[in-house]
Amino acid sequence: MVSRSLEKLEYNAIMALLSSRAATSIGRALCTGLRPASSLSESCAWLCETDEAVRRLLKWGDLPFSGIDDIRPAVKRASAGAVLTCGEFLRIASFLRAVDRMLAAVADCLTEESSGELPLHRKVRLLEPLPGFVRRLEQSVAGEDELFDHASEELFSIRRRLRDTHDAVRRELDKVVTRQSGALQENLITMRSGRYVVPVRSDRRASVPGLVHDTSSSGNTLFIEPMAVVELNNKIRELEAAEKHEMLAILKELSGIAAAQADVLIADTAILAELDFAMAKARLALDMNAICPVMNDRGAIVLKKARHPLIPGDQVVPIDFELGRSFRTLVITGPNTGGKTVSLKTCGLLTLMAMAGLFIPVESPSEISWFQNIEVDIGDEQSIEQNLSTFSSHLREVIRITESAKEGTLVLLDELGAGTDPSEGAALAIAILDYLRMAGCHTVATTHYRELKGYAMNEEGVENACCEFDTETLQPTYKLLIGVPGVSNAFAISSRLGLNPAIIDSARALVSDEGARFESLVSAIEQSHREARAMESEIERLRADIRHAKEALESERENLREERERLLAKAREEAAGLLEEARTEVDRLLEEMRNEAEHGRARDHRVESEARGRLAAIGKRFNVRQAGKTEESGVSADTATLVPGEYYETRTLGVSGFLRELSGSKDQVVLESGSFRVTVPISELKRVRRKPPEDLRRKRANAEPSSALRSSIVMRAAAELVLLGKRVDEALGEIDQFIDDAVLAGLSPVRIVHGKGTGALRKATHEYLSRDKRVLSFRLGGDGEGGDGVTVAELRPDRP
């Protein structure tokens, strides 16, 4: 790849952005040196590496790169026999701790990688830790120029003796300061030339015998080493020399270990650099909102909503770009500052980025071709730097490009043929494009020449494109329209800016009729294309609205389904609880009655009444729960609509039959089902829309009541009826219902409590019982049974 092409397309600026995302110096070095791949397979492998890093970054976050420096120079010096410094060993220790952290970070992810281990993580696991070397360094190196006392036993011994000697010197000097305080300039101990001294007044020199090491600037103070500490100071010098020698020996030992592990350290450095480089590519991809393009080597470039990566996101206008599918040469026309050069650079720069394994800021599906070479001639007057150029400089670049033109080359030419006579420049531009096309190159060129528009319209494999310009606002939209030649809009722009209309009319007259018709046709095509794009955008918006509405409906449907399932589950749970409660209550009641029977307790109507009452209470709870059920068929009945002989059903008792007569009570009726008659409340009736078939009626007439009906009545029945406070008509209806339930439940005798009072209720009760064929006999209550206020009736057993 020609370096000039990389520079013209500002590829180095992308590398600077990539380097700024690297966390280490070794990663930045790889970022700076990144160049487009030399083969399609290599580009695809690099893109896969970037994709793995993006997946790692999105799922688990970044890798831990802190504490990593380039230790390779130090390791190479150690391998050559040099002794490393404490600072270098600190950086090596930090590096090895970073290796341990990196391995630990990947180990935490292994259990979550259900679809297989990321290749990026496999690369991390190639790192080789050196725990023994790390411990040795941490025990030995204390700072940039310092070792710990325990770096070796000898060093510990030397430093202990050195401390003791220092303490001995200070004790001797303290004695001198105490005894000779009058001879001293100040009562303090200081150092000169690495030896302990005291400041003595020059006129009292004889009072403190010793060696003079320095004098003050005034000459009034002598810094004397008393003779009592000379030997101790000499010993300190000897021990300090021994300390330096031992420290050097320790550093040599550590340097030897580094040299022995040089291959491991250098290999780990290379792996960490590659990991940081991969993560830097991922960070850049996320920052740019970029995706992985589909790669090919057929010369096909398809960019959807492509954005130039060096233009700020709030200013860039996405473009759709195509080359290499149905045409290999694209001619872009349009006014100045309309976006032609930016479109050209976007195509070239995104191609370079994809070839280098970087994600590109486009939308899916986008496609990039790998090229053997990319040749660029972009006029500096249109570049970001705004440098000037001449026709000669352009031509030299074109000559170089044509000499190397071959299949597999992408050629980008800005303002082809500009800077010379328009007619000759247009002819030269057409000839150059034709030459490159015949050589097998894929070419994108920008121009103002009208002749090139006609060339693109008439030549197979060549297509027009233009950068859209809004003549109403006199502003470019920066949108690239493929398949539409551009117009200069010079007259429209001049008119909008206020140029004298007469001048504009004169200019129009100078344009040939053929040229005017061509420009008018091109303008109409551009307008139609603009309208089509607007319609396409509106259709896409409507599709998106429909898609969102469908998703909302699906979500609502799913919510309703879940709510229905929840309510059904709750209802089933409540029903199961009620059923279990009823079973428990019935079982307990039966157990009590069984116990009474086992103890030989005589049957008493009060016990039976109590039992029946508790069963009725259980049935009532269930009936209340069922009252809200929706009937599948039938209409409600009332007193006004009752028709004798019609077929009715009850809502809660499960009883059905023909209406025979009204009961003594105005809100109750008698239903007949075969030989079975039952009194039911009118509010419970529901008329069936059609009568059952004759054979079904005969079958019902010969069949005994269903188990469900009998169970319901048994649970409702009681052995005692209390009529106190009732009117006669109300009491008769209740007596009829009471006897029905008692017969079906097998209860006999039963008690009817009507009270004494005037005797009217007792008389009516006896008259009714005397006419009822279900009553075998009846009598007033005896002693202990309520006397005249109670009637005891023996009932005939129910017969099928």
Side-chain angles (χ1 to χ4, degrees):
M1 197 68 62
V2 179
S3 59
R4 179 182 291 272
S5 297
L6 301 180
E7 181 181 350
K8 288 291 185 73
L9 292 174
E10 299 174 284
Y11 178 80
N12 294 335
I14 298 297
M15 294 304 98
L17 291 177
L18 180 62
S19 299
S20 67
R21 268 68 177 181
T24 66
S25 60
I26 53 180
R28 282 190 288 274
L30 290 183
C31 293
T32 304
L34 178 63
R35 292 294 178 268
S38 58
S39 67
L40 174 63
S41 59
E42 191 174 33
S43 289
C44 292
W46 290 357
L47 284 170
C48 286
E49 181 184 62
T50 306
D51 183 61
E52 293 163 13
V54 169
R55 288 164 57 195
R56 159 73 207 194
L57 203 57
L58 292 175
K59 187 170 184 178
W60 292 288
D62 213 337
L63 291 170
F65 288 102
S66 60
I68 298 176
D69 287 308
D70 190 0
I71 63 171
R72 288 173 296 189
V75 173
K76 290 177 181 178
R77 287 180 53 242
S79 299
V83 178
L84 304 185
T85 65
C86 292
E88 290 172 318
F89 283 120
L90 282 177
R91 284 182 281 279
I92 291 175
S94 177
F95 177 89
L96 291 174
R97 284 192 292 269
V99 169
D100 292 337
R101 287 195 300 273
M102 191 72 67
L103 290 168
V106 170
D108 293 339
C109 304
L110 289 177
T111 56
E112 303 179 32
E113 295 182 282
S114 56
S115 59
E117 185 179 15
L118 275 179
L120 188 76
H121 288 171
R122 285 199 293 271
K123 179 177 286 188
V124 172
R125 296 203 297 122
L126 293 176
L127 292 169
E128 186 173 347
L130 297 174
F133 192 20
V134 173
R135 284 195 298 272
R136 182 74 174 98
L137 291 174
E138 291 176 343
Q139 292 169 359
S140 302
V141 183
E144 286 288 336
D145 298 300
E146 184 63 28
L147 295 177
F148 286 115
D149 293 351
H150 292 282
S152 73
E153 293 183 4
E154 180 63 22
L155 183 62
F156 179 78
S157 174
I158 292 172
R159 287 184 173 176
R160 181 175 54 79
R161 286 181 286 156
L162 190 58
R163 285 192 295 270
D164 292 342
T165 305
H166 278 286
D167 291 341
V169 170
R170 296 191 69 87
R171 285 196 297 270
E172 291 296 328
L173 290 176
D174 286 339
K175 294 177 183 178
V176 172
V177 169
T178 303
R179 289 197 300 263
Q180 303 292 340
S181 60
L184 301 181
Q185 193 74 26
E186 294 180 76
N187 292 337
L188 59 82
I189 301 170
T190 185
M191 296 191 75
R192 288 293 186 273
S193 302
R195 300 177 75 89
Y196 286 100
V197 297
V198 292
V200 180
R201 293 163 50 187
S202 58
D203 58 341
R204 300 290 298 274
R205 164 69 180 81
S207 299
V208 182
L211 304 177
V212 178
H213 286 277
D214 197 6
T215 61
S216 64
S217 58
S218 64
N220 294 329
T221 303
L222 302 176
F223 295 94
I224 297 175
E225 178 185 3
M227 293 304 297
V229 298
V230 170
E231 284 303 319
L232 291 175
N233 275 330
N234 289 340
K235 187 177 180 180
I236 288 175
R237 286 295 184 91
E238 292 172 2
L239 291 173
E240 287 176 345
E243 180 188 27
K244 290 180 180 178
H245 183 271
E246 181 60 21
M247 288 178 64
L248 181 60
I250 294 171
L251 293 177
K252 283 183 178 180
E253 177 196 352
L254 296 176
S255 298
I257 297 175
Q261 300 293 343
D263 292 342
V264 173
L265 293 171
I266 291 175
D268 284 354
T269 305
I271 292 172
L272 289 174
E274 292 171 2
L275 291 171
D276 188 22
F277 170 61
M279 297 306 293
K281 293 192 293 181
R283 298 180 200 112
L284 182 64
L286 294 181
D287 289 346
M288 287 186 174
N289 194 23
I291 67 168
C292 181
V294 177
M295 295 297 295
N296 68 81
D297 57 357
R298 306 184 309 275
I301 300 176
V302 181
L303 304 178
K304 301 293 185 182
K305 305 297 181 185
R307 308 180 302 277
H308 195 289
L310 298 180
I311 299 177
D314 58 344
Q315 300 177 18
V316 66
V317 177
I319 64 169
D320 293 333
F321 187 91
E322 180 182 339
L323 180 70
R325 292 206 295 191
S326 58
F327 54 88
R328 291 192 304 174
T329 301
L330 184 65
V331 178
I332 304 176
T333 53
N336 287 328
T337 70
K340 299 190 303 297
T341 304
V342 172
S343 299
L344 197 70
K345 285 187 172 183
T346 300
C347 167
L349 184 55
L350 297 191
T351 300
L352 288 175
M353 289 175 64
M355 289 173 60
L358 299 177
F359 282 12
I360 57 176
V362 295
E363 291 184 3
S364 182
S366 291
E367 194 171 351
I368 291 288
S369 175
W370 176 86
F371 291 98
Q372 293 181 3
N373 194 19
I374 298 180
E375 296 287 358
V376 179
D377 175 36
I378 294 181
D380 290 335
E381 70 277 9
Q382 294 295 328
S383 70
I384 294 176
E385 291 79 12
Q386 293 294 314
N387 293 329
L388 299 176
S389 66
T390 63
F391 174 74
S392 299
S393 65
H394 276 288
L395 193 57
R396 280 196 296 268
E397 285 296 306
V398 171
I399 291 171
R400 181 185 60 78
I401 292 171
T402 55
E403 289 176 348
S404 61
K406 60 181 179 180
E407 191 171 353
T409 300
L410 175 63
V411 180
L412 306 175
L413 302 172
D414 189 33
E415 299 295 349
L416 181 60
T420 187
D421 179 75
S423 59
E424 293 180 356
L428 188 60
I430 292 174
I432 292 170
L433 290 178
D434 216 36
Y435 179 87
L436 295 173
R437 183 173 61 86
M438 298 302 293
C441 298
H442 288 72
T443 307
V444 183
T446 67
T447 184
H448 283 287
Y449 293 140
R450 185 172 59 197
E451 291 82 356
L452 267 69
K453 305 174 191 177
Y455 168 74
M457 294 176 69
N458 297 323
E459 195 66 41
E460 185 178 358
V462 184
E463 186 58 88
N464 271 304
C466 73
C467 289
E468 191 179 48
F469 190 88
D470 190 340
T471 55
E472 295 297 322
T473 62
L474 298 181
Q475 295 293 328
T477 64
Y478 303 107
K479 295 179 180 178
L480 186 66
L481 307 179
I482 303 292
V484 180
V487 294
S488 65
N489 295 300
F491 296 151
I493 295 173
S494 300
S495 177
R496 294 278 295 183
L497 292 177
L499 185 63
N500 192 319
I503 298 175
I504 296 174
D505 292 341
S506 299
R508 283 199 177 98
L510 295 175
V511 177
S512 65
D513 293 341
E514 182 180 353
R517 285 196 300 272
F518 179 80
E519 289 294 325
S520 178
L521 176 62
V522 168
S523 180
I525 293 173
E526 183 177 349
Q527 179 62 27
S528 299
H529 196 280
R530 187 182 299 113
E531 293 173 357
R533 284 174 62 89
M535 292 179 62
E536 182 180 350
S537 299
E538 180 64 17
I539 290 172
E540 186 61 32
R541 186 189 65 78
L542 292 175
R543 285 176 178 171
D545 291 344
I546 292 172
R547 185 168 58 253
H548 294 154
K550 183 179 179 181
E551 291 173 355
L553 287 174
E554 289 294 335
S555 177
E556 184 66 22
R557 181 183 299 173
E558 181 64 20
N559 291 338
L560 289 174
R561 187 190 66 79
E562 292 177 357
E563 180 65 14
R564 177 175 175 273
E565 291 295 330
R566 187 186 67 79
L567 292 175
L568 285 175
K570 183 178 179 181
R572 293 190 191 102
E573 183 179 351
E574 289 181 356
L578 288 171
L579 181 59
E580 184 63 28
E581 180 184 349
R583 284 175 176 169
T584 302
E585 185 69 17
V586 170
D587 289 344
R588 187 175 64 80
L589 181 59
L590 292 175
E591 182 65 25
E592 290 178 1
M593 297 179 69
R594 198 176 295 118
N595 292 337
E596 291 175 0
E598 289 176 356
H599 287 83
R601 184 180 300 179
R603 181 176 179 183
D604 185 85
H605 63 85
R606 292 185 181 276
V607 175
E608 292 181 5
S609 177
E610 179 185 354
R612 298 302 172 184
R614 286 159 66 181
L615 283 172
I618 296 172
K620 185 177 181 180
R621 287 204 299 273
F622 283 104
N623 289 336
V624 171
R625 294 283 183 175
Q626 296 170 352
K629 292 176 58 179
T630 303
E631 302 294 340
E632 295 182 357
S633 62
V635 295
S636 299
D638 55 32
T639 306
T641 60
L642 290 176
V643 179
E646 286 293 331
Y647 198 77
Y648 290 89
E649 290 181 354
T650 58
R651 298 180 184 280
T652 59
L653 299 179
V655 179
S656 61
F658 296 95
L659 176 63
R660 291 308 181 195
E661 61 183 52
L662 297 177
S663 175
S665 173
K666 63 181 180 180
D667 51 359
Q668 291 186 331
V669 296
V670 176
L671 288 183
E672 179 180 344
S673 178
S675 62
F676 173 68
R677 295 165 63 90
V678 62
T679 302
V680 296
I682 294 176
S683 61
E684 290 291 317
L685 285 183
K686 174 192 68 171
R687 191 174 70 180
V688 179
R689 295 188 181 279
R690 64 184 183 88
K691 295 182 180 180
E694 187 65 29
D695 58 344
L696 180 59
R697 290 205 300 271
R698 285 198 300 269
K699 183 177 180 182
R700 286 176 177 171
N702 296 326
E704 62 181 2
S706 67
S707 59
L709 169 63
R710 184 175 293 276
S711 174
S712 176
I713 294 176
V714 166
M715 294 178 71
R716 187 181 66 214
E720 182 178 86
L721 174 65
V722 178
L723 300 176
L724 298 176
K726 302 284 186 181
R727 299 193 306 272
V728 170
D729 56 346
E730 292 176 339
L732 294 179
E734 292 191 18
I735 291 171
D736 189 57
Q737 180 71 59
F738 171 70
I739 294 175
D740 274 343
D741 293 346
V743 169
L744 288 175
L747 299 180
S748 181
V750 294
R751 285 163 41 89
I752 301 174
V753 181
H754 41 65
K756 298 178 181 180
T758 61
L761 191 56
R762 180 180 65 244
K763 179 181 179 182
T765 299
H766 287 183
E767 290 177 356
Y768 185 87
L769 294 177
S770 64
R771 297 193 305 269
D772 197 319
K773 296 179 180 180
R774 296 168 294 179
V775 180
L776 183 63
S777 63
F778 62 90
R779 60 179 174 80
L780 290 174
D783 294 338
E785 291 182 327
D788 294 344
V790 173
T791 296
V792 179
E794 290 285 347
L795 303 180
R796 298 180 188 276
D798 186 30
R799 292 286 190 273

